[in-house]
Amino acid sequence: VNQNPSIVLGNTSAIDEGACKAYAVGKLHLFAVKKAGNIYLYQNRCPHAGLPLNWFPDKFLDRDGELIQCSSHGALFQIETGRCVAGPCPGRRLQSIDFIVDNDDNIVIQAEA
Ligand code: FES
């Protein structure tokens, strides 16, 4: 029996290709990235100093839109893996969040029990 309630974050159609969307679920701060039509979902917390990644709403990528960039000290992360490839925390990873996309294209996570 799955006792964790599902939480709908939003619809994938609300995220443009190559763009991001931030979500808050209680104290949990998340963001989704859409790249090549795929959705990636991470906690909005930099593994370097534990700070939120973005300064501006829904802006998480570098100028080229190729990497996730932390606004505090410039760490760069692969969109697909969350792995830091440059900056002060190389090799560390953003915390990815499990989700499903339902039949209505909603991004759905399970709440923590
Ligand atoms: S807190 Fe992200 S690079 Fe320092």
Side-chain angles (χ1 to χ4, degrees):
V1 177
N2 184 353
Q3 300 187 340
N4 295 352
S6 296
I7 296 172
V8 174
L9 295 179
N11 199 274
T12 61
S13 64
I15 311 172
D16 292 333
E17 172 62 29
C20 302
K21 195 91 183 159
Y23 306 101
V25 179
K27 286 183 185 161
L28 192 60
H29 292 265
L30 309 176
F31 70 103
V33 189
K34 186 187 275 186
K35 183 177 180 186
N38 296 312
I39 299 289
Y40 303 91
L41 186 66
Y42 296 104
Q43 251 188 60
N44 184 4
R45 186 176 191 279
C46 183
H48 174 224
L51 299 170
L53 294 158
N54 60 316
W55 278 336
F56 298 102
D58 300 333
K59 298 290 184 203
F60 292 83
L61 302 185
D62 65 353
R63 279 233 309 255
D64 298 335
E66 293 295 327
L67 295 165
I68 296 161
Q69 182 167 40
C70 180
S71 53
S72 288
H73 313 105
L76 293 166
F77 304 88
Q78 289 178 331
I79 292 171
E80 296 89 343
T81 65
R83 201 169 73 88
C84 180
V85 293
C89 48
R92 298 194 61 189
R93 286 174 187 267
L94 300 176
Q95 179 67 53
S96 66
I97 303 293
D98 291 334
F99 67 97
I100 61 156
V101 176
D102 72 10
N103 292 335
D104 296 320
D105 291 333
N106 290 310
I107 303 168
V108 182
I109 63 169
Q110 302 294 316
E112 296 288 324

